[in-house]
Amino acid sequence: MNDVEIEALKGGMVSLEGLSSDNLTGFDVIAESPNVDTMFEQVLKLQAELVKKRDSDRYKMVDVLRIVIEQFADWRSDFVTSENTVYRRFATILDSLFRGTKVISQDGECVSQCAKDTVLMLQSISNSVSSASQLSKSGSKVDLLTIAILSNNRVEFASREWKRDELSEAIKLKQQAKNLRTNAAILSSLIMKGSSPYLMAMDWLGTVGYAYVLTFKEGVFVAQPVSPLMVPKQPSELKEFKQTLDFLFKWKNFLSDSIQKVEKNNVSSMNSLRGIMVMPNTYDEVPVHLPRLIITPRPSRKRYIEEVDVEEPDHQ
């Protein structure tokens, strides 16, 4: 695929709306404060003024800044920062950002159900399948899944990874590829649920990362970077956080829009038919081409489908 073809596939990407100009101006006033105490004082003043508008973007922006400024002292006390430390501190930002919305951050090295479904489908069409106990463990673990509970059903919208910056380039690329495959499986599921034909996700290496849009066009998954990301560790870095903060609100708005689209398409009935392909009523209709995805298998003994005991319990 040449550069012209790649650029054509990127065409029509999602247009995102983040913080308003007024809110960004408010950020500049705080970021240009001469010291941490003044920053904190201005943040608390604004929060007090907005206490009755806690669901507004302006209040959320100020609350995120409060969290970031409070963490400056924590970063100074760390000699070695683990990926769990970076994730834990960033997770508090996400908690504030998504408070009052339907977006949920599921952590604890969870496994994407969409990726597990993809593994099962590939095993089925290749005439082999793992045992039920092996199947319940299939799929790579990820650090964080962005989900929503809609009509009592769990719907995935993105996965994210945090890794130490000190890792080798080979391991970094391996982790990024794993996250791309997981998000491709999630995107495949969202397309079948009637959501947008793209999703937004992040990858992190230490306190820096990047956000990208993953789309499916003409039978190909295309990932396009949309914003660099960073977590400031000292007051002098706060101005650089502006782009990351603006993207986080774009992402929040994008997720809310995606959730609404899935809800309109009756997610309850869609999930009950998970994995079933609906054929066209007439031969004149054009069938939907579902995304093609390959999940790297783990070395283990596979059994043919006819070998599996249908009464074997499901341990999910």
Coordinates of all heavy atoms in Angstrom, one line a residue, residues 101-145:
T101 N -20.9 10.7 34.0 CA -21.2 10.2 32.7 C -21.4 8.6 32.8 O -21.3 8.1 33.9 CB -20.0 10.4 31.7 OG1 -18.9 9.6 32.1 CG2 -19.6 11.9 31.8
K102 N -21.7 8.0 31.7 CA -21.9 6.5 31.7 C -20.6 5.8 31.4 O -20.6 4.6 31.4 CB -22.9 6.1 30.6 CG -24.3 6.6 30.9 CD -25.3 6.2 29.9 CE -26.7 6.6 30.2 NZ -27.7 6.2 29.3
V103 N -19.5 6.5 31.3 CA -18.2 5.9 31.0 C -17.6 5.3 32.3 O -17.6 6.0 33.3 CB -17.2 6.9 30.4 CG1 -15.9 6.3 30.0 CG2 -17.8 7.6 29.1
I104 N -17.1 4.1 32.2 CA -16.5 3.4 33.3 C -15.1 3.0 32.9 O -14.8 2.5 31.8 CB -17.3 2.2 33.7 CG1 -18.7 2.6 34.1 CG2 -16.6 1.4 34.9 CD1 -19.6 1.4 34.3
S105 N -14.1 3.2 33.8 CA -12.7 2.7 33.6 C -12.6 1.4 34.4 O -12.6 1.4 35.6 CB -11.7 3.7 34.1 OG -11.8 4.9 33.3
Q106 N -12.4 0.3 33.7 CA -12.2 -1.0 34.3 C -10.7 -1.3 34.3 O -10.1 -1.5 33.2 CB -13.0 -2.1 33.6 CG -12.8 -3.5 34.2 CD -13.6 -4.5 33.4 OE1 -14.2 -4.3 32.4 NE2 -13.5 -5.8 33.9
D107 N -10.1 -1.5 35.4 CA -8.7 -1.8 35.5 C -8.4 -3.1 36.2 O -9.3 -3.9 36.4 CB -7.9 -0.6 36.2 CG -8.5 -0.4 37.6 OD1 -9.3 -1.2 38.1 OD2 -8.1 0.7 38.2
G108 N -7.1 -3.3 36.5 CA -6.7 -4.6 37.1 C -6.3 -5.6 36.1 O -6.5 -6.8 36.3
E109 N -5.6 -5.2 35.0 CA -5.1 -6.2 34.0 C -6.3 -7.1 33.6 O -6.2 -8.3 33.7 CB -3.9 -7.0 34.5 CG -2.7 -6.1 34.7 CD -1.4 -7.0 34.7 OE1 -1.5 -8.2 35.1 OE2 -0.3 -6.5 34.4
C110 N -7.3 -6.5 33.1 CA -8.5 -7.3 32.6 C -8.3 -7.7 31.2 O -7.4 -7.3 30.5 CB -9.7 -6.4 32.8 SG -9.5 -4.7 32.3
V111 N -9.2 -8.6 30.7 CA -9.1 -9.2 29.4 C -10.3 -8.7 28.6 O -11.5 -8.8 29.2 CB -9.1 -10.7 29.4 CG1 -9.1 -11.3 28.0 CG2 -7.8 -11.2 30.1
S112 N -10.2 -8.2 27.4 CA -11.3 -7.7 26.6 C -12.1 -8.9 26.2 O -11.7 -9.9 25.6 CB -10.7 -7.0 25.4 OG -11.7 -6.9 24.4
Q113 N -13.5 -8.8 26.4 CA -14.4 -9.8 26.0 C -14.5 -9.8 24.5 O -14.6 -10.9 23.9 CB -15.8 -9.5 26.6 CG -16.8 -10.6 26.2 CD -16.5 -12.0 26.7 OE1 -16.2 -12.1 27.9 NE2 -16.5 -12.9 25.8
C114 N -14.3 -8.7 23.8 CA -14.3 -8.6 22.4 C -13.1 -9.4 21.8 O -13.3 -10.1 20.8 CB -14.2 -7.2 21.9 SG -15.7 -6.2 22.3
A115 N -12.0 -9.3 22.4 CA -10.8 -10.1 22.0 C -11.0 -11.6 22.2 O -10.7 -12.4 21.4 CB -9.6 -9.6 22.7
K116 N -11.7 -12.0 23.3 CA -12.0 -13.4 23.6 C -13.0 -13.9 22.6 O -12.8 -15.0 22.1 CB -12.5 -13.5 25.0 CG -11.5 -13.2 26.1 CD -12.2 -13.2 27.5 CE -12.6 -14.6 27.9 NZ -13.1 -14.5 29.3
D117 N -14.0 -13.1 22.2 CA -14.9 -13.5 21.2 C -14.2 -13.7 19.8 O -14.6 -14.7 19.1 CB -16.0 -12.5 21.0 CG -17.0 -12.4 22.2 OD1 -17.0 -13.4 23.0 OD2 -17.7 -11.5 22.3
T118 N -13.3 -12.9 19.5 CA -12.5 -13.0 18.3 C -11.7 -14.3 18.2 O -11.6 -15.0 17.2 CB -11.6 -11.8 18.1 OG1 -12.4 -10.6 18.0 CG2 -10.8 -11.9 16.7
V119 N -11.1 -14.6 19.4 CA -10.3 -15.8 19.5 C -11.2 -17.0 19.3 O -10.9 -18.0 18.5 CB -9.6 -15.9 20.9 CG1 -9.0 -17.3 21.1 CG2 -8.6 -14.9 21.0
L120 N -12.4 -17.0 19.9 CA -13.3 -18.1 19.7 C -13.8 -18.3 18.3 O -13.9 -19.4 17.8 CB -14.6 -17.9 20.6 CG -15.7 -19.0 20.5 CD1 -15.2 -20.3 20.9 CD2 -16.8 -18.6 21.5
M121 N -14.1 -17.2 17.6 CA -14.5 -17.2 16.2 C -13.4 -17.8 15.3 O -13.6 -18.7 14.5 CB -14.9 -15.8 15.7 CG -15.4 -15.8 14.3 SD -15.8 -14.1 13.8 CE -17.2 -13.7 14.9
L122 N -12.1 -17.4 15.6 CA -11.0 -17.9 14.8 C -10.8 -19.4 15.0 O -10.5 -20.1 14.1 CB -9.7 -17.1 15.1 CG -9.7 -15.7 14.6 CD1 -8.5 -15.0 15.2 CD2 -9.7 -15.6 13.1
Q123 N -11.0 -19.8 16.3 CA -10.8 -21.2 16.6 C -11.9 -22.0 15.9 O -11.7 -23.1 15.4 CB -10.9 -21.4 18.1 CG -9.7 -20.9 18.8 CD -9.8 -21.0 20.3 OE1 -11.0 -21.0 20.8 NE2 -8.7 -20.9 21.1
S124 N -13.1 -21.5 15.8 CA -14.2 -22.2 15.3 C -14.1 -22.4 13.8 O -14.3 -23.5 13.2 CB -15.6 -21.4 15.6 OG -15.8 -21.4 17.0
I125 N -13.7 -21.3 13.1 CA -13.6 -21.4 11.6 C -12.3 -22.2 11.2 O -12.3 -22.7 10.1 CB -13.5 -20.0 11.0 CG1 -12.3 -19.2 11.4 CG2 -14.8 -19.2 11.3 CD1 -12.2 -17.9 10.7
S126 N -11.4 -22.4 12.1 CA -10.2 -23.2 11.8 C -10.4 -24.7 12.2 O -9.5 -25.4 12.2 CB -9.0 -22.6 12.5 OG -9.1 -22.7 13.9
N127 N -11.6 -25.0 12.7 CA -12.0 -26.4 13.1 C -11.2 -26.8 14.3 O -10.8 -28.0 14.4 CB -11.8 -27.4 11.9 CG -12.5 -28.7 12.2 OD1 -13.6 -28.7 12.8 ND2 -12.0 -29.8 11.7
S128 N -10.9 -25.9 15.2 CA -10.2 -26.3 16.5 C -10.7 -25.3 17.5 O -11.1 -24.2 17.2 CB -8.7 -26.3 16.3 OG -8.3 -24.9 16.1
V129 N -10.6 -25.8 18.8 CA -11.1 -24.9 19.9 C -10.4 -25.3 21.1 O -10.1 -26.5 21.3 CB -12.6 -25.0 20.0 CG1 -13.0 -26.4 20.5 CG2 -13.1 -23.9 21.0
S130 N -10.1 -24.4 22.0 CA -9.5 -24.7 23.3 C -10.6 -25.3 24.2 O -11.8 -25.2 23.9 CB -9.0 -23.4 23.9 OG -8.0 -22.8 23.1
S131 N -10.2 -25.9 25.3 CA -11.2 -26.4 26.3 C -11.8 -25.2 26.9 O -11.4 -24.0 26.8 CB -10.4 -27.2 27.4 OG -9.6 -26.3 28.1
A132 N -13.0 -25.4 27.6 CA -13.7 -24.3 28.2 C -12.8 -23.6 29.2 O -12.9 -22.3 29.3 CB -15.0 -24.8 28.9
S133 N -12.0 -24.3 30.0 CA -11.2 -23.7 31.0 C -10.1 -22.8 30.3 O -9.7 -21.8 30.8 CB -10.5 -24.7 31.9 OG -9.7 -25.6 31.1
Q134 N -9.6 -23.3 29.2 CA -8.6 -22.5 28.5 C -9.2 -21.3 27.8 O -8.6 -20.2 27.8 CB -7.9 -23.4 27.4 CG -7.0 -24.5 28.0 CD -6.5 -25.4 26.9 OE1 -7.2 -25.7 25.9 NE2 -5.2 -25.8 27.0
L135 N -10.4 -21.5 27.3 CA -11.1 -20.4 26.6 C -11.4 -19.2 27.6 O -11.3 -18.1 27.2 CB -12.4 -20.9 26.0 CG -13.2 -19.9 25.2 CD1 -12.4 -19.3 24.1 CD2 -14.5 -20.5 24.8
S136 N -11.7 -19.5 28.8 CA -12.0 -18.5 29.8 C -10.8 -17.6 30.0 O -10.9 -16.5 30.5 CB -12.5 -19.1 31.1 OG -11.5 -19.8 31.7
K137 N -9.6 -18.1 29.8 CA -8.4 -17.4 30.0 C -7.8 -16.8 28.7 O -6.7 -16.2 28.8 CB -7.3 -18.3 30.7 CG -7.8 -18.9 32.0 CD -6.7 -19.8 32.5 CE -7.2 -20.5 33.8 NZ -6.2 -21.5 34.3
S138 N -8.4 -17.0 27.6 CA -7.9 -16.6 26.3 C -7.9 -15.1 26.2 O -8.8 -14.4 26.8 CB -8.6 -17.2 25.1 OG -10.0 -16.8 25.2
G139 N -7.0 -14.5 25.4 CA -7.0 -13.1 25.3 C -5.9 -12.5 26.1 O -5.6 -12.9 27.2
S140 N -5.3 -11.4 25.6 CA -4.2 -10.8 26.3 C -4.7 -9.8 27.4 O -5.7 -9.1 27.1 CB -3.3 -10.0 25.3 OG -2.7 -10.9 24.4
K141 N -4.1 -9.7 28.5 CA -4.5 -8.8 29.5 C -4.1 -7.3 29.1 O -3.0 -7.1 28.5 CB -3.8 -9.1 30.9 CG -4.4 -10.4 31.5 CD -3.7 -10.7 32.8 CE -4.3 -11.9 33.4 NZ -3.7 -12.2 34.7
V142 N -4.9 -6.4 29.4 CA -4.6 -5.0 29.2 C -4.8 -4.2 30.5 O -5.4 -4.7 31.5 CB -5.6 -4.4 28.1 CG1 -5.4 -5.0 26.8 CG2 -7.1 -4.5 28.6
D143 N -4.1 -3.1 30.6 CA -4.1 -2.3 31.9 C -5.5 -1.7 32.2 O -5.9 -1.6 33.3 CB -3.0 -1.2 31.8 CG -1.6 -1.9 31.8 OD1 -1.4 -2.9 32.4 OD2 -0.7 -1.3 31.1
L144 N -6.2 -1.2 31.1 CA -7.4 -0.5 31.4 C -8.3 -0.6 30.2 O -7.9 -0.4 29.0 CB -7.1 1.0 31.6 CG -8.3 1.9 32.0 CD1 -8.7 1.6 33.4 CD2 -7.9 3.4 32.0
L145 N -9.6 -0.9 30.5 CA -10.6 -1.0 29.5 C -11.6 0.2 29.8 O -12.0 0.4 30.9 CB -11.4 -2.3 29.5 CG -10.7 -3.5 28.8 CD1 -11.5 -4.8 29.2 CD2 -10.6 -3.3 27.3

